[in-house]
Amino acid sequence: MIHNIPDLHTKKILIVDDEEEILNLLEDVLKKEGFQHIYTYTTGEEGIRMCRHIQPDIVLLDIMLPDLDGYSVCQQIRQFTFVPIFFLSAKNDDLDKILGLSIGGDDYITKPFSPKEVAYKMKAFFRRNQYQEKVQSRYQFGDITIDEVQGTVLKGDILLTLTAKEFNILLFLVKNPNQIFSKARLYEAVWGESYLGNDNILMVHMRHLREKIEDNPSKPLYLVTVRGLGYKLHTKGELR
């Protein structure tokens, strides 16, 4: 049953919506469903700031906000965390949904909606995460440690600041160590769209990623370019 989530009461829920009625209704229903830590805000700027501060387990994010639109808020949040983001929107066009999911959203719920439906979607998400915790989510090579669940990368004891794309590139490669991937294959895996010769985009991300994880970015030990073939993560058999 999706209700049987032992630590449901510890989950922190951040809701960003400029309609007080929706905020109050969601907060009331979510508390009845077992969520205890609910934080509500009405502007995008507040949402971004508080997301950094409280580190929620899920964000419910309206698209039509008075200052920033929800898409911009999502993109800024994705610069520092991979917290699940559920869009709430009166826009039900397929293009709007695709846009929301393509920029980092995890679900898209159209208004009007049932608050209980939202609660059940959240419970289902947490239930899936419980199963995923049994799967490897922590990777190490050299002095680099990647935690997929927390969305963090450490170099020794130093927490690195990676963009969402940099993190996804590294995560894809670490899950497929010592394999050569063409630029097209790597781009399509991370960006989720067809590769149209976007060499500069990928090269810039790889350069920045090397600057963060390599001791000598000009002579990388891990993020290796295989001339004429592509890239690979060379772990030297150290992946754990």
Side-chain angles (χ1 to χ4, degrees), residues 174-201:
V174 81
K175 288 184 174 182
N176 301 278
N178 304 305
Q179 299 181 47
I180 300 172
F181 292 95
S182 67
K183 292 178 181 178
R185 176 70 182 88
L186 185 55
Y187 184 90
E188 290 169 0
V190 174
W191 272 261
E193 57 188 46
S194 297
Y195 177 75
L196 300 174
N198 304 313
D199 283 7
N200 288 338
I201 295 175

Side-chain angles (χ1 to χ4, degrees), residues 119-135:
Y120 290 169
K121 279 179 174 286
M122 291 164 57
K123 288 183 179 182
F125 178 86
F126 287 129
R127 181 184 60 174
R128 287 194 299 271
N129 270 12
Q130 285 182 334
Y131 293 132
Q132 290 170 357
E133 286 174 358
K134 300 176 183 178
V135 181

Side-chain angles (χ1 to χ4, degrees), residues 1-5 8 11 13 29-35 58 86 116-131:
M1 296 291 291
I2 60 176
H3 298 80
N4 297 329
I5 306 172
L8 191 67
K11 303 298 184 184
I13 312 302
V29 171
L30 291 179
K31 284 184 175 179
K32 289 179 180 178
E33 292 295 327
F35 296 97
I58 275 186
F86 287 14
K116 280 201 171 186
E117 174 193 358
V118 177
Y120 290 169
K121 279 179 174 286
M122 291 164 57
K123 288 183 179 182
F125 178 86
F126 287 129
R127 181 184 60 174
R128 287 194 299 271
N129 270 12
Q130 285 182 334
Y131 293 132

Side-chain angles (χ1 to χ4, degrees), residues 74-83 85 102-105 151 153 160-172 189-191 205 209 212:
C74 176
Q75 288 175 317
Q76 292 192 46
I77 288 175
R78 281 288 171 262
Q79 296 299 310
F80 60 86
T81 179
F82 289 89
V83 60
I85 296 176
S102 67
I103 64 172
V153 179
L160 302 181
T161 301
L162 271 62
T163 66
K165 285 294 187 290
E166 290 167 357
F167 182 86
N168 287 332
I169 290 171
L170 186 58
L171 187 62
F172 176 79
V190 174
W191 272 261
H205 281 81
L209 193 50
K212 294 174 182 179

Side-chain angles (χ1 to χ4, degrees), residues 29-218:
V29 171
L30 291 179
K31 284 184 175 179
K32 289 179 180 178
E33 292 295 327
F35 296 97
Q36 295 183 12
H37 303 284
I38 301 171
Y39 305 83
T40 61
Y41 297 92
T42 57
T43 68
E45 292 289 356
E46 286 179 314
I48 295 167
R49 184 174 67 254
M50 296 313 297
C51 190
R52 285 183 180 274
H53 179 64
I54 67 176
Q55 299 181 15
D57 295 287
I58 275 186
V59 176
L60 302 181
L61 177 60
D62 185 24
I63 290 179
M64 303 298 291
L65 295 169
D67 53 349
L68 302 174
D69 65 70
Y71 299 134
S72 298
V73 174
C74 176
Q75 288 175 317
Q76 292 192 46
I77 288 175
R78 281 288 171 262
Q79 296 299 310
F80 60 86
T81 179
F82 289 89
V83 60
I85 296 176
F86 287 14
F87 280 113
L88 307 175
S89 177
K91 298 181 176 182
N92 58 8
D93 187 87
D94 285 344
L95 290 178
D96 293 310
K97 296 178 182 179
I98 292 171
L99 175 59
L101 297 175
S102 67
I103 64 172
D106 296 275
D107 205 339
Y108 192 104
I109 304 170
T110 56
K111 298 178 180 179
F113 54 75
S114 163
K116 280 201 171 186
E117 174 193 358
V118 177
Y120 290 169
K121 279 179 174 286
M122 291 164 57
K123 288 183 179 182
F125 178 86
F126 287 129
R127 181 184 60 174
R128 287 194 299 271
N129 270 12
Q130 285 182 334
Y131 293 132
Q132 290 170 357
E133 286 174 358
K134 300 176 183 178
V135 181
Q136 182 180 2
S137 62
R138 188 179 178 90
Y139 304 87
Q140 292 179 289
F141 60 90
D143 61 348
I144 302 297
T145 302
I146 304 165
D147 192 312
E148 182 177 6
V149 174
Q150 295 185 19
T152 58
V153 179
L154 295 174
K155 183 175 175 60
D157 295 326
I158 300 174
L159 179 65
L160 302 181
T161 301
L162 271 62
T163 66
K165 285 294 187 290
E166 290 167 357
F167 182 86
N168 287 332
I169 290 171
L170 186 58
L171 187 62
F172 176 79
L173 291 174
V174 81
K175 288 184 174 182
N176 301 278
N178 304 305
Q179 299 181 47
I180 300 172
F181 292 95
S182 67
K183 292 178 181 178
R185 176 70 182 88
L186 185 55
Y187 184 90
E188 290 169 0
V190 174
W191 272 261
E193 57 188 46
S194 297
Y195 177 75
L196 300 174
N198 304 313
D199 283 7
N200 288 338
I201 295 175
L202 186 55
M203 289 172 64
V204 168
H205 281 81
M206 291 299 289
R207 185 179 76 246
H208 290 168
L209 193 50
R210 281 173 174 151
E211 290 171 351
K212 294 174 182 179
I213 74 168
E214 299 281 359
D215 291 332
N216 186 350
S218 62

